[in-house]
Amino acid sequence: MNAIKNYFKINYVESILLVIAFITLNFINVFIRKFLLSLNLSENTIFAVSYSIPFIILFTFISHQAKKKNLVVDLSIRISPWYVYFVIFFMMLSAIILNEHLSSLVPKEGPILENMYKEIEVVLKEEVKNPIPFFSTTVLLAPICEEILFRGIILNGMLRNKIHPIKAIIFSSFLFGLTHMNPWQLLGGLFVGSFIGYIYYITNSITDCILLHILNNFIATVGIFYSLDDGLDYNNLEKLDNNNHVYIFLISILILLSGSYFLLKKRKNILKLIK
């Protein structure tokens, strides 16, 4: 007879404290990066190591606490049925299009937002000077680390704690957006994070979340390399004529809604197949 597992659970306050710790570690990380620079390490190594350190510290702490309390952090690798990937691929593309539009609604003018936007642009221009570490960290390392933290630990822990799925998805996604420390990615993190969180609720697969995050970051990173010469542009959709803009927007919404409904109806079957 299989032993009953006591899964790791987390509430609202603990989630907030975990994210505060993560943000604090990222500030401290500035000094760690300077130390790594003094060791004359390669840019590839410094970029990857400095990005990973806050996650490693948090994962180690959570693992230690879970082990001490005999709890299980469920990060099992699960592969969904083929049709799930077909559906969520087009849903992800639709979410990216809608997120591009939503992000463009956040103003980039004013004494605070304009300076913040210019600072982001300066940082990105510096980072893309080393395209290999920037691309590998943004497209591969970031999705893995961020999905393990925000979906595998926080969202999963909240769902295990019997918090309503909608509340858990939205709250964990808000925290995900908040860690990006700017209003454009806060909104994007909330929207795209909620979509990925919904997929996690449907499939209980951290693998699916990582793949979707990789797709999102890949498209975003290619867009950054393409557009930085002319300045960052969150208004690419506005370059389309109004008719195309409306059609694309409506089709994207339709794909998201119909895909969400289809997956919700299939949820029980999906969970049975991937257990």
Side-chain angles (χ1 to χ4, degrees):
M1 186 174 180
N2 292 330
I4 298 175
K5 294 181 180 180
N6 294 316
Y7 287 101
F8 174 84
K9 300 175 182 177
I10 194 169
N11 58 35
Y12 289 107
V13 174
E14 290 167 337
S15 299
I16 293 171
L17 292 175
L18 194 60
V19 169
I20 289 174
F22 175 72
I23 292 172
T24 303
L25 286 170
N26 272 291
F27 280 117
I28 297 173
N29 209 18
V30 173
F31 301 101
I32 296 175
R33 186 177 175 84
K34 289 182 179 180
F35 171 73
L36 293 173
L37 283 169
S38 69
L39 298 178
N40 294 320
L41 299 175
S42 67
E43 282 292 332
N44 295 29
T45 303
I46 293 173
F47 201 90
V49 170
S50 61
Y51 180 85
S52 304
I53 285 175
F55 290 102
I56 292 172
I57 293 173
L58 279 183
F59 295 158
T60 302
F61 172 77
I62 293 168
S63 177
H64 174 73
Q65 292 298 310
K67 187 176 181 180
K68 190 165 66 172
K69 298 177 181 178
N70 198 29
L71 301 175
V72 176
V73 180
D74 184 16
L75 296 174
S76 304
I77 297 175
R78 298 181 176 91
I79 304 301
S80 296
W82 68 268
Y83 63 84
V84 171
Y85 294 108
F86 179 81
V87 173
I88 65 177
F89 173 79
F90 285 101
M91 290 177 71
M92 187 73 236
L93 292 179
S94 300
I96 291 170
I97 291 170
L98 293 173
N99 180 54
E100 182 84 1
H101 176 75
L102 289 173
S103 298
S104 71
L105 299 178
V106 181
K108 298 183 286 294
E109 300 173 351
I112 297 176
L113 292 179
E114 186 174 358
N115 289 335
M116 183 183 295
Y117 191 79
K118 287 180 178 178
E119 286 177 9
I120 294 171
E121 190 175 41
V122 169
V123 170
L124 283 175
K125 283 182 176 179
E126 282 299 312
E127 289 180 346
V128 298
K129 288 179 180 178
N130 299 287
I132 294 177
F134 177 74
F135 189 86
S136 59
T137 300
T138 303
V139 176
L140 296 176
L141 187 60
I144 294 171
C145 293
E146 291 176 5
E147 288 309 315
I148 289 175
L149 177 59
F150 289 99
R151 253 62 68 177
I153 293 175
I154 294 180
L155 176 56
N156 183 41
M158 294 179 79
L159 293 172
R160 296 280 184 188
N161 205 19
K162 305 301 182 184
I163 294 174
H164 192 281
I166 293 177
K167 294 179 180 178
I169 290 168
I170 292 175
F171 188 76
S172 60
S173 299
F174 170 74
L175 294 178
F176 170 60
L178 193 65
T179 59
H180 290 82
M181 304 298 287
N182 68 75
W184 301 277
Q185 288 178 294
L186 169 60
L187 188 59
L190 178 58
F191 180 72
V192 175
S194 293
F195 165 66
I196 296 177
Y198 177 74
I199 299 303
Y200 183 79
Y201 169 72
I202 294 293
T203 66
N204 198 27
S205 171
I206 195 67
T207 308
D208 294 356
C209 298
I210 291 171
L211 291 174
L212 289 175
H213 202 145
I214 287 173
L215 176 60
N216 178 76
N217 284 18
F218 174 80
I219 292 174
T221 302
V222 170
I224 288 172
F225 280 112
Y226 179 77
S227 64
L228 265 181
D229 289 339
D230 300 317
L232 288 178
D233 187 3
Y234 286 108
N235 299 301
N236 288 331
L237 289 179
E238 293 178 2
K239 295 176 182 178
L240 301 170
D241 63 64
N242 289 333
N243 288 333
N244 286 338
H245 190 163
V246 172
Y247 290 147
I248 291 173
F249 190 80
L250 291 177
I251 291 171
S252 298
I253 292 176
L254 181 62
I255 291 173
L256 271 181
L257 291 177
S258 57
S260 298
Y261 178 76
F262 172 80
L263 292 175
L264 187 61
K265 296 290 285 184
K266 293 283 187 180
R267 181 172 181 262
K268 290 182 179 180
N269 291 333
I270 292 170
L271 292 177
K272 284 181 183 178
L273 288 170
I274 66 176
K275 278 186 177 180

